[in-house]
């Protein structure tokens, strides 16, 4: 644009608008997948195992040490029943209480807690009664007679990343335990489920946590929770469930729905159990709560 004297002028063209880079906030949908903080689960990836009891019986185990002490420490020599590879590093585990299915009583796996690391310098010959020998290189907890050995990296590999997604098929399990032996859990706590690879569970699966609402017996006295009902009402309720029909038209048992109380991500899977990290919870999560996908 030029003025009356023919000189060029700089003016603002209001038909154009200057744009600058800026952030944009997009609300998450209800099915948004939470990221998995690896720093929180690394101790469980590295130091926790859930191993079949029969498998543990086949592993080399500690017979004793070169000193009769209760606590073995760095540089102590341990004698092992089993044939080891010379110069191989071995992780030492303590067998803990079994994980059992609350519905069937089946032993699903045994908890195995990492207690130390040792390196073999004698291979041993179990068939001829000659123990293998290892030297302790690090100790996390007390090493005891009977503790078993695994090659150092077996079951301890940290995934490069987790591909998090919802399972394609419905599934239902339960929270059966906690590595920290707690009774109630919250966000970023780790729990153990009675679901494993046999139930098509995979690392990265995102499951809902649901809690079964308590049953109500509705009789002539009015509705009451099962624990507040009389022995006769409980007997009638149990008989009704057993035979699939109501034995007393004046007493009806109402089975209430389960309600969602949180979410979890599976990060370690075995044959019949898995470890999961709680990522959301509206109420304290408890043993017995359901892990489901409908």
């Amino acid at each position: 644009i030029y003025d009356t004297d023919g000189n060029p002028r700089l003016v603002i063209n209001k038909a154009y608008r200057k744009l600058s880079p800026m952030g944009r906030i997009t609300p998450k949908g209800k099915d948004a997948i939470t990221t998995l903080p690896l720093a929180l689960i690394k101790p469980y990836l590295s130091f926790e195992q859930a191993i079949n009891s029969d498998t543990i019986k086949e592993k080399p185990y500690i017979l004793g040490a070169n000193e009769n002490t209760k606590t073995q420490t760095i540089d102590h020599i341990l004698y092992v029943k089993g044939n080891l590879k010379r110069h191989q590093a071995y992780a030492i585990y303590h067998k803990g209480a079994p994980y059992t299915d609350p519905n069937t009583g089946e032993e699903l796996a045994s908890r195995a807690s990492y207690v130390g690391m040792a390196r073999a310098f004698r291979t041993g010959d179990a068939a001829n009664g000659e123990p293998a020998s290892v030297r302790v290189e690090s100790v996390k907890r007390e090493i005891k007679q009977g503790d078993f050995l695994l090659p150092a990296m077996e079951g301890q590999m940290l995934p490069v990343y987790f591909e998090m997604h919802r399972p394609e098929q419905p599934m239902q399990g339960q929270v059966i335990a906690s590595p920290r032996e707690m009774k109630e859990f919250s966000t970023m706590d780790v729990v153990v489920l009675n679901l494993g690879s046999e139930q098509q569970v995979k690392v990265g699966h995102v499951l809902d946590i649901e809690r079964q609402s308590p049953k109500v017996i509705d009789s002539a006295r009015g509705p009451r929770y099962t624990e507040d009902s009389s022995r006769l009402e409980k007997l009638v309720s149990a008989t009704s469930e057993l035979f699939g029909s109501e034995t007393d038209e004046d007493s009806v048992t109402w089975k209430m729905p389960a309600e969602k109380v949180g979410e979890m991500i599976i990060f370690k899977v075995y044959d019949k159990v898995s470890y999961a990290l709680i990522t959301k919870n509206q109420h304290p999560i408890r043993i017995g709560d359901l892990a489901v996908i409908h």
Side-chain angles (χ1 to χ4, degrees):
I1 296 176
Y2 298 88
D3 61 16
T4 55
D5 296 327
N7 298 316
R9 296 179 59 194
L10 182 64
V11 297
I12 297 176
N13 189 341
K14 294 184 178 180
Y16 294 92
R17 184 162 55 99
K18 182 180 179 181
L19 298 178
S20 299
M22 59 182 297
R24 182 173 60 181
I25 300 175
T26 303
K28 287 184 177 181
K30 65 178 182 179
D31 293 326
I33 303 300
T34 307
T35 57
L36 186 59
L38 295 181
L40 286 174
I41 66 170
K42 186 175 180 180
Y44 299 99
L45 287 166
S46 302
F47 302 134
E48 287 288 335
Q49 302 262 22
I51 304 177
N52 184 285
S53 295
D54 292 335
T55 301
I56 293 177
K57 292 178 182 178
E58 300 171 356
K59 300 300 181 183
Y61 62 87
I62 295 173
L63 296 169
N66 61 326
E67 296 184 27
N68 185 7
T69 60
K70 299 299 181 184
T71 303
Q72 308 303 332
T73 187
I74 296 175
D75 285 337
H76 278 199
I77 295 173
L78 305 178
Y79 302 118
V80 176
K81 180 181 178 180
N83 301 327
L84 305 181
K85 294 182 179 180
R86 186 174 297 169
H87 308 307
Q88 169 76 50
Y90 289 88
I92 306 170
Y93 287 88
H94 177 73
K95 179 183 177 182
Y99 293 129
T100 58
D101 190 289
N103 302 311
T104 64
E106 177 190 3
E107 183 176 317
L108 304 176
S110 288
R111 178 184 178 185
S113 299
Y114 172 85
V115 294
M117 187 73 68
R119 190 173 299 275
F121 64 91
R122 291 193 189 102
T123 59
D125 186 351
N128 293 316
E130 297 179 9
S133 301
V134 299
R135 190 179 301 276
V136 179
E137 294 188 342
S138 65
V139 177
K140 185 174 183 289
R141 300 177 185 173
E142 181 182 358
I143 300 174
K144 300 179 180 180
Q145 291 171 292
D147 288 347
F148 67 95
L149 281 68
L150 293 175
M153 298 309 296
E154 187 171 316
Q156 295 185 13
M157 297 299 291
L158 183 67
V160 176
Y161 67 94
F162 287 85
E163 182 182 348
M164 291 170 284
H165 59 283
R166 298 245 177 202
E168 296 178 356
Q169 70 284 346
M171 61 179 60
Q172 178 172 314
Q174 285 181 277
V175 177
I176 62 171
S178 162
R180 297 175 61 187
E181 300 182 356
M182 299 161 53
K183 298 298 182 183
E184 290 191 341
F185 324 102
S186 186
T187 300
M188 300 305 157
D189 282 334
V190 172
V191 293
V192 183
L193 310 179
N194 60 342
L195 293 171
S197 59
E198 292 185 2
Q199 290 76 37
Q200 309 304 312
V201 171
K202 298 179 181 179
V203 171
H205 272 171
V206 179
L207 306 181
D208 291 333
I209 307 171
E210 294 184 353
R211 177 166 302 149
Q212 179 63 54
S213 301
K215 294 179 181 178
V216 170
I217 298 177
D218 191 10
S219 66
R221 295 173 55 194
R224 285 176 310 286
Y225 294 115
T226 303
E227 58 266 27
D228 299 328
S229 303
S230 66
R231 291 184 179 179
L232 178 59
E233 288 170 328
K234 291 178 182 178
L235 177 61
V236 170
S237 174
T239 304
S240 172
E241 291 184 8
L242 180 62
F243 293 100
S245 62
E246 300 298 337
T247 58
D248 185 349
E249 61 182 13
D250 294 328
S251 179
V252 179
T253 300
W254 291 84
K255 184 177 181 180
M256 303 304 183
E259 302 293 349
K260 182 176 177 178
V261 293
E263 293 182 5
M264 61 174 63
I265 297 176
I266 306 293
F267 67 85
K268 200 169 190 179
V269 178
Y270 295 91
D271 291 343
K272 297 181 179 180
V273 301
S274 55
Y275 287 80
L277 180 75
I278 298 171
T279 55
K280 297 179 183 177
N281 70 298
Q282 289 82 43
H283 304 283
I285 307 304
R286 301 169 186 160
I287 290 177
D289 284 347
L290 305 175
V292 299
I293 284 293
H294 295 291

